[in-house]
């Protein structure tokens, strides 16, 4: 079952490249000015925020499989609509709906992986998931760039086809994975508010937001630093491609390295590497310096992926896994706003000290993970003890 989910995520990521070129399509093909195009892309993002929350709720209420099928068939329909319409208001509405559908599968996919992968193997399972996502994103970037030069309608059509392939695979091979209720008294109580008021979980989510803000410097502020050093835009593309290749080449070796480490310790080390890598940007002035910095922060990203997902799985009640995943996924749109908004001002007024501050945020997050680790481990141990003490409904 895991491998069908993994394959579905890979195909979906390879085929889901419309979002990468949406702004280019709106300006180059539809003739919108950058401000108007940004507004439409912003609607895609707003749809994504709603989709994350809706996807988590539906994954718990309807089930993982129905949520995944709705999201993929819906996304294919809306991408097809983008290929056929030339009306700007219609494009804006479709962009918002597409953002909704693109974000819905995330919580359901991860909740399904938690359902089917034993706790002892989750580090490896989530590591392979992270690897597939990065491999798919790298392929999508190449395909999107090539197709955008040929035909945007063709690009939309191929995207829709890839999404349909994923939907058919899920329909054919993936059955419902949502756990049956363990208690004799019926479904577990709780809802989205349970995750939003879970202090231990929110502490972890808050530290993960710091990590995401630092990580997103590579896609928001780093191009400005490279440009300020008088380097060509192709240098930025090369640095990002190099980081992606490092993940594809090295991610599969991470589980063996960290299997014996405590999750909080692993996350602390990961944040130190991330912070140190972006701090090195302050010293970089040429391609070698940026490649060294990228190497260091990419090691941090690689180390963080498996324990991040495993901690979410540990803290999530069985009946609320989708909702807990959706709350975690909110950090990405939040970081997408904070990283460029705060980072741009910081770089403008502080110059290279901006990158030193990024290093400080990494160190702060590392300390936070070490601080909350004992209490979180006690909670997980107590929850497991209670789970084993409850008879399975029969």
């Amino acid at each position: 079952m895991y491998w069908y989910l993994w394959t579905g995520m890979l195909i979906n990521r390879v085929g889901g490249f419309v979002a990468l070129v949406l702004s280019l399509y709106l300006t180059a093909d539809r003739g919108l000015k950058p401000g108007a195009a940004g507004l439409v892309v912003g609607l895609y993002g707003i749809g994504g925020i709603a989709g994350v929350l809706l996807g988590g709720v539906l994954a718990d209420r309807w089930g993982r499989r129905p949520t995944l099928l709705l999201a993929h068939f819906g996304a294919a329909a809306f991408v097809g609509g983008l290929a056929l319409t030339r009306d700007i208001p219609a494009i804006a509405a479709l962009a918002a709906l597409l953002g909704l559908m693109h974000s819905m599968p995330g919580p359901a996919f991860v909740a399904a992986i938690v359902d089917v992968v034993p706790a002892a193997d989750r580090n490896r399972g989530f590591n392979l998931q992270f690897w597939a996502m990065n491999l798919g994103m790298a392929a999508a970037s190449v395909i999107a760039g090539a197709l955008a030069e040929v035909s945007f309608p063709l690009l939309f059509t191929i995207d829709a086809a890839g999404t349909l392939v994923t939907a058919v695979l899920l329909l054919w091979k993936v059955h419902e994975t949502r756990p049956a209720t363990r208690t004799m008294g019926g479904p577990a109580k709780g809802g989205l508010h349970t995750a939003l008021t879970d202090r231990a979980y929110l502490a972890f989510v808050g530290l993960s937001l710091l990590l995401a803000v630092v990580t997103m410097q590579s896609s928001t502020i780093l191009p400005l630093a490279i440009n300020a050093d008088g380097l060509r835009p192709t240098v930025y593309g090369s640095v990002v491609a190099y980081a992606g290749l490092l993940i594809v080449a090295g991610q599969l070796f991470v589980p063996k390295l960290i299997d014996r480490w405590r999750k909080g310790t692993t996350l602390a080390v990961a944040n130190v590497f991330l912070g140190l890598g972006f701090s090195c940007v302050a010293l970089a002035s040429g391609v070698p310096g940026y490649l060294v910095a990228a190497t260091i922060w990419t090691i941090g990203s690689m180390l963080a992926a498996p324990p991040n997902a495993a901690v979410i799985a540990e803290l999530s009640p069985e009946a609320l896994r989708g909702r807990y995943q959706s709350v975690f996924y909110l950090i990405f749109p939040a970081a997408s706003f904070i990283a460029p908004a705060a980072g741009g001002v910081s770089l403008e007024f502080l110059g290279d000290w901006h990158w030193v501050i990024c290093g400080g945020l990494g160190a702060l997050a590392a300390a936070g993970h070490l601080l909350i680790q004992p209490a979180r481990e006690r909670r997980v141990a107590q929850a497991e003890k209670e789970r084993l003490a409850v008879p399975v409904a029969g």
Side-chain angles (χ1 to χ4, degrees), residues 1-272:
M1 174 68 69
Y2 169 83
W3 288 109
Y4 292 122
L5 291 166
W6 183 90
T7 303
M9 283 188 288
L10 177 61
I11 297 172
N12 183 56
R13 185 52 65 101
V14 171
F17 40 69
V18 160
L20 300 176
V21 296
L22 185 57
S23 60
L24 178 62
Y25 165 68
L26 293 169
T27 54
D29 198 73
R30 295 274 66 84
L32 267 64
K33 292 182 178 180
L39 199 57
V40 174
V41 175
L43 290 174
Y44 175 91
I46 291 172
I49 294 173
V52 163
L53 294 174
L54 181 61
V57 171
L58 293 182
D60 288 335
R61 287 189 176 179
W62 288 4
R64 293 26 163 166
R65 186 172 183 264
T67 303
L68 291 171
L69 292 176
L70 171 64
H72 285 88
F73 280 116
F78 294 137
V79 170
L82 282 173
L84 296 174
T85 186
R86 302 182 69 84
D87 180 66
I88 298 302
I91 290 174
L94 287 168
L97 291 169
L98 184 61
L100 182 81
M101 293 299 166
H102 274 174
S103 296
M104 278 180 59
F109 263 132
V110 180
I113 290 174
V114 176
D115 295 339
V116 301
V117 176
D121 296 326
R122 282 176 187 159
N123 262 355
R124 291 182 175 83
F126 289 127
N127 190 69
L128 285 166
Q129 174 211 1
F130 183 68
W131 182 80
M133 290 176 65
N134 279 275
L135 178 62
M137 180 60 73
S141 300
V142 173
I143 297 170
L147 289 176
E149 294 186 3
V150 178
S151 166
F152 281 106
L154 177 63
L155 183 150
F156 292 144
T157 301
I158 293 178
D159 184 296
T163 305
L164 278 175
V165 168
T166 306
V168 171
L169 174 67
L170 295 171
L171 182 64
W172 180 31
K173 290 294 187 180
V174 174
H175 57 73
E176 181 53 55
T177 67
R178 183 177 54 172
T181 304
R182 295 184 60 85
T183 61
M184 300 299 291
K189 296 180 180 179
L192 192 58
H193 68 279
T194 307
L196 291 172
T197 55
D198 186 331
R199 293 183 180 180
Y201 186 64
L202 291 181
F204 169 76
V205 169
L207 293 173
S208 299
L209 176 60
L210 279 181
L211 182 148
V213 168
V214 174
T215 300
M216 286 189 179
Q217 300 301 307
S218 64
S219 60
T220 57
I221 307 303
L222 184 66
L224 303 179
I226 290 176
N227 181 67
D229 283 331
L231 301 174
R232 299 179 56 166
T234 53
V235 171
Y236 171 69
S238 299
V239 171
V240 173
Y242 168 74
L245 287 173
L246 277 182
I247 292 174
V248 171
Q251 191 68 45
L252 296 181
F253 300 98
V254 169
K256 187 174 182 181
L257 174 65
I258 67 173
D259 262 353
R260 296 183 182 181
W261 297 6
R262 294 164 72 185
K263 295 178 182 66
T265 303
T266 305
L267 288 168
V269 173
N271 277 276
V272 168

Side-chain angles (χ1 to χ4, degrees), residues 343-390:
V345 174
S346 175
L347 185 68
E348 179 180 350
F349 289 99
L350 301 177
D352 284 340
W353 283 102
H354 164 77
W355 303 107
V356 178
I357 292 173
C358 288
L361 291 176
L364 179 64
H369 279 294
L370 292 177
L371 185 64
I372 69 173
Q373 178 170 242
R376 190 188 70 244
E377 289 178 342
R378 287 194 296 271
R379 167 174 159 171
V380 170
Q382 180 62 30
E384 180 64 12
K385 183 178 179 180
E386 292 173 358
R387 185 185 71 85
L388 294 174
V390 175

